[in-house]
């Protein structure tokens, strides 16, 4: 019940805040207030015409984000500056296994899809593509799952013959199913911050087909993070690099305060979408983590009280790595030209090609389509992926391997 209430809060409260926003700005009696026409249209194919957020600029916000970016970088590269102590590394000799067939299959479909999109990105829409045309329109499925299989193959090789696909294929399927709801929730939340990302070529296919496409390809988004995490754990130095840090235990009153702050943050994101849009990347993970803690359910945050930050920091890093791949794939599957009138023409046969319209940082340096400072958002989303799967595994009574620090280990967690 408490987990479902947590999800209900994440779904309802931003909508409530957004309703208040339009009630205040519409000038109509509150009883007549409604969301603007087209508010829930999906996919969103253009910048929100009611409020171009990219015009919002704040030097203070950019400076704060730059400082955060610098501190996070120092934490990962020089953890001793944050109080982490060196941990003795236990080197075990592992006989590397041959790279598996599913890894090669993943490589073929991943690179093959990239090649097709690259070749078609300058072909106008009225020009007939080589058959089957649906492969161009649905190419994110082999792209995402191909990357997941490719990384799992490296895990299999480095661990001496163990990996999620090899040993726990049903859990990989389960994570994929949970991934659909886990990502589509953010597509929904994006509406209440006035479309921080949009799909300029979403019109290539019908709206209903795009919705189905979005749901199906979402199955591949979370599994990539879990593959990266198991791969990170095959490197002895990285696996224990953040094991001996500052011990932080939150008292009960502080946890309750964080719950209240998170709930207020969800409402505020809808009420002040141009200023608190970023909270929707933080509060879902925080609320789920606090709910799991209140219920006594295992989560990676459990070990922070013992000074072991590795599970949280490494899983946060998984989606930063995933994001680099996804943003690169996205960028190179389209060609873009600026017309003499200043309008942008985008040519791609991938309807899910996305662009950003982020307050404060849209005019800062970009890496692919994403403003460089925007990559900070991938860190909390990585942790959210693990927490989301733990929550759903709990609700479905699944005996997941991810109720422990090292999912491929057969020994209990040691702090």
């Amino acid at each position: 019940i408490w987990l479902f209430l947590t999800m209900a809060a994440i779904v309802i409260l931003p909508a409530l805040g957004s309703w208040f926003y339009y009630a205040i700005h519409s000038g109509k009696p509150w009883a007549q207030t409604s969301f603007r026409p087209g508010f829930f249209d999906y996919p969103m194919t253009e910048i929100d015409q009611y409020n171009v957020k990219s015009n919002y600029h704040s030097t203070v916000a950019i400076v704060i984000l730059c400082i955060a970016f610098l501190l996070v970088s120092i934490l990962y590269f020089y953890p001793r500056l944050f109080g982490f102590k060196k941990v003795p590394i236990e080197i075990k000799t592992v006989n590397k296994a041959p790279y598996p067939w599913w890894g090669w299959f993943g490589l073929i479909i991943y690179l093959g899809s990239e090649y097709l999109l690259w070749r078609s990105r300058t072909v106008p829409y009225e020009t007939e593509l080589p058959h089957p045309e649906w492969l161009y329109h649905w190419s994110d499925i082999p792209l995402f799952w191909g990357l997941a299989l490719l990384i799992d193959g490296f895990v299999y090789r480095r661990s001496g013959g163990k990996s999620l696909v090899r040993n726990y294929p049903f859990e990989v399927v389960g994570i994929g199913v949970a991934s659909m709801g886990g990502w589509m929730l953010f597509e929904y939340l994006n509406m209440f911050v006035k479309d921080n990302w949009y799909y300029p070529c979403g019109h290539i296919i019908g709206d209903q087909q795009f919705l189905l496409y979005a749901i199906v390809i979402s199955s591949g988004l979370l599994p990539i993070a879990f593959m990266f995490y198991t791969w990170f754990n095959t490197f002895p130095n990285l696996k224990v690099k953040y094991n001996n840090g500052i011990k932080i235990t939150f008292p009960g009153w502080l946890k309750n305060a964080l719950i209240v702050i998170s709930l207020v943050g969800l409402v505020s994101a809808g009420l002040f979408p141009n200023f608190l849009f970023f909270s929707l990347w933080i509060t879902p993970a925080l609320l789920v983590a606090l709910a799991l803690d209140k219920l006594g359910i295992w989560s990676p945050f459990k070990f922070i009280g013992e000074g072991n930050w590795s599970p949280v920091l490494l899983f946060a890093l998984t989606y930063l790595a995933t994001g680099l791949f996804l943003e690169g794939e996205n960028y190179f599957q389209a060609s873009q030209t600026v017309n003499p009138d200043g309008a942008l023409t985008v040519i791609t046969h991938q309807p899910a090609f996305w662009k950003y319209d982020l307050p404060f940082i849209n005019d800062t340096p970009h890496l692919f389509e994403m403003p460089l400072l925007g990559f900070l958002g991938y860190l909390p989303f990585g942790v959210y992926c693990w927490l989301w799967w733990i929550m759903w595994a709990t609700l479905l009574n699944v005996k997941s391997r991810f109720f422990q620090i090292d999912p491929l280990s057969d020994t209990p967690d040691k702090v």
Side-chain angles (χ1 to χ4, degrees):
I1 290 174
W2 286 109
L3 293 178
F4 276 117
L5 287 175
T6 299
M7 286 188 288
I10 297 172
V11 170
I12 295 172
L13 293 183
L16 181 62
S18 192
W19 184 87
F20 278 117
Y21 175 90
Y22 285 101
I24 294 170
H25 290 82
S26 66
K28 299 178 180 179
W30 283 35
Q32 300 177 18
T33 298
S34 62
F35 293 100
R36 63 167 173 77
F39 184 92
F40 291 105
D41 286 353
Y42 186 79
M44 54 293 285
T45 57
E46 59 184 358
I47 295 175
D48 190 329
Q49 59 180 316
Y50 291 86
N51 185 36
V52 181
K53 300 182 297 302
S54 58
N55 290 335
Y56 280 77
H57 180 84
S58 171
T59 303
V60 174
I62 293 175
V63 170
I64 292 174
L65 287 172
C66 286
I67 293 173
F69 198 98
L70 179 62
L71 290 176
V72 169
S73 301
I74 295 173
L75 170 62
Y76 274 104
F77 288 104
Y78 305 101
R80 291 189 187 182
L81 297 178
F82 285 83
F84 286 85
K85 298 178 181 178
K86 189 174 181 179
V87 178
I89 301 172
E90 183 181 355
I91 303 295
K92 294 182 180 180
T93 303
V94 177
N95 295 323
K96 292 184 179 181
Y99 194 75
W101 66 265
W102 63 86
W104 290 113
F105 176 70
L107 177 65
I108 292 171
I109 62 174
Y110 179 76
L111 294 181
S113 301
E114 287 277 25
Y115 175 75
L116 287 176
L117 288 171
W118 175 264
R119 289 290 304 271
S120 68
R121 70 192 188 100
T122 57
V123 179
Y125 301 127
E126 61 271 12
T127 303
E128 184 176 355
L129 286 169
H131 292 288
E133 188 172 350
W134 62 264
L135 181 59
Y136 296 86
H137 294 167
W138 290 70
S139 57
D140 274 350
I141 298 175
L143 276 175
F144 294 170
W145 278 104
L147 179 59
L149 294 174
L150 174 64
I151 299 168
D152 188 82
F154 289 122
V155 177
Y156 179 87
R157 174 168 171 75
R158 286 189 55 83
S159 66
K162 293 187 69 174
S163 75
L164 294 178
V165 172
R166 169 63 179 83
N167 299 91
Y168 312 106
F170 290 108
E171 179 150 8
V172 174
V173 174
I175 294 171
V177 173
S179 177
M180 296 181 188
W183 172 249
M184 292 307 295
L185 174 63
F186 278 86
E187 293 281 5
Y188 164 79
L189 294 177
N190 185 36
M191 297 176 179
F192 302 110
V193 290
K194 300 187 176 180
D195 306 340
N196 284 172
W197 63 89
Y198 60 101
Y199 304 96
C201 299
H203 59 273
I204 296 175
I205 57 179
D207 291 353
Q208 293 182 344
Q209 185 180 353
F210 189 98
L211 176 61
L212 175 63
Y213 177 42
I215 293 172
V216 173
I217 65 175
S218 297
S219 66
L221 287 174
L222 268 63
I224 301 173
F226 290 82
M227 302 305 184
F228 265 119
Y229 181 72
T230 53
W231 185 50
F232 290 162
N233 273 288
T234 63
F235 295 89
N237 291 338
L238 186 58
K239 183 177 181 179
V240 301
K241 188 172 184 177
Y242 312 104
N243 275 17
N244 195 355
I246 300 173
K247 299 177 182 180
I248 297 180
T249 302
F250 288 178
W253 68 265
L254 182 55
K255 294 177 183 178
N256 293 333
L258 288 174
I259 291 176
V260 173
I261 292 172
S262 298
L263 296 175
V264 172
L266 288 171
V267 177
S268 300
L271 189 57
F272 305 103
N274 296 326
F275 301 99
L276 297 177
F277 65 96
F278 61 88
S279 69
L280 290 184
W281 288 97
I282 301 172
T283 47
L286 184 58
L287 265 181
V288 173
L290 291 167
L292 294 173
D293 178 78
K294 287 286 187 180
L295 296 171
I297 299 171
W298 188 97
S299 84
F301 286 97
K302 168 185 176 182
F303 298 97
I304 291 179
E306 302 294 334
N308 187 356
W309 292 73
S310 288
V312 172
L313 291 181
L314 289 185
F315 220 97
L317 201 59
T318 62
Y319 230 88
L320 182 60
T322 302
L324 289 171
F325 276 94
L326 299 184
E327 296 294 345
E329 295 169 358
N330 180 64
Y331 181 80
F332 289 111
Q333 65 192 12
S335 61
Q336 305 180 61
T337 56
V338 179
N339 302 329
D341 60 357
L344 180 68
T345 298
V346 179
I347 298 179
T348 179
H349 291 271
Q350 168 52 274
F353 170 79
W354 65 86
K355 292 182 71 68
Y356 292 98
D357 183 37
L358 297 171
F360 309 139
I361 61 175
N362 234 40
D363 57 353
T364 59
H366 284 54
L367 178 59
F368 307 123
E369 289 296 334
M370 171 71 85
L372 187 59
L373 293 173
F375 279 92
L376 283 172
Y378 278 119
L379 295 173
F381 185 77
V383 180
Y384 161 83
C385 293
W386 196 350
L387 296 171
W388 181 262
W389 172 236
I390 289 174
M391 179 176 66
W392 277 103
T394 300
L395 290 171
L396 298 175
N397 196 28
V398 173
K399 295 181 180 179
S400 170
R401 300 294 301 185
F402 284 90
F403 281 89
Q404 60 185 32
I405 294 177
D406 186 352
L408 296 183
S409 174
D410 294 323
T411 58
D413 287 332
K414 294 181 180 180
V415 180

